[in-house]
Amino acid sequence: MRNSIPFLLAVALTACGQPETPKQADVLTVEELAADPALLKVLRQQCKTDRARLGDVLCNRVAEATRRRFYGDGSTPYTSPKEPPKF
């Protein structure tokens, strides 16, 4: 009986932990975030106000998706204007 008390205590403490659920960062990719501007806008605001709760992984993906939406995929080459601007 005395040997079972520490075992039962360890089992009870283990059961008190938070459930293992996949975080949002594990589910969403940069491409998915870039494809959904409404979700991206909400997550950008949440990363600004509560980065500690969302985590660095998700907020870094949000930043990368925002960058990709702004700059594009980088495959369009720069083309200079035919006439130089007049100052």
Side-chain angles (χ1 to χ4, degrees):
M1 182 70 174
R2 288 184 181 181
N3 291 337
S4 63
I5 291 175
F7 175 73
L8 291 174
L9 181 62
V11 170
L13 289 175
T14 304
C16 293
Q18 294 182 358
E20 295 284 331
T21 57
K23 289 185 177 181
Q24 198 172 17
D26 298 335
V27 178
L28 297 173
T29 64
V30 173
E31 291 78 19
E32 291 171 337
L33 288 169
D36 189 355
L39 176 63
L40 187 60
K41 182 178 180 180
V42 170
L43 288 174
R44 282 181 59 210
Q45 185 61 36
Q46 288 178 359
C47 283
K48 287 180 184 178
T49 59
D50 198 9
R51 187 178 181 101
R53 185 179 62 83
L54 290 176
D56 286 337
V57 174
L58 178 59
C59 289
N60 288 342
R61 287 181 186 175
V62 167
E64 177 64 20
T66 302
R67 187 195 66 78
R68 285 188 187 178
R69 283 190 57 82
F70 185 77
Y71 290 116
D73 60 359
S75 63
T76 307
Y78 174 76
T79 54
S80 60
K82 293 180 182 178
E83 297 179 17
K86 296 181 181 179
F87 294 102

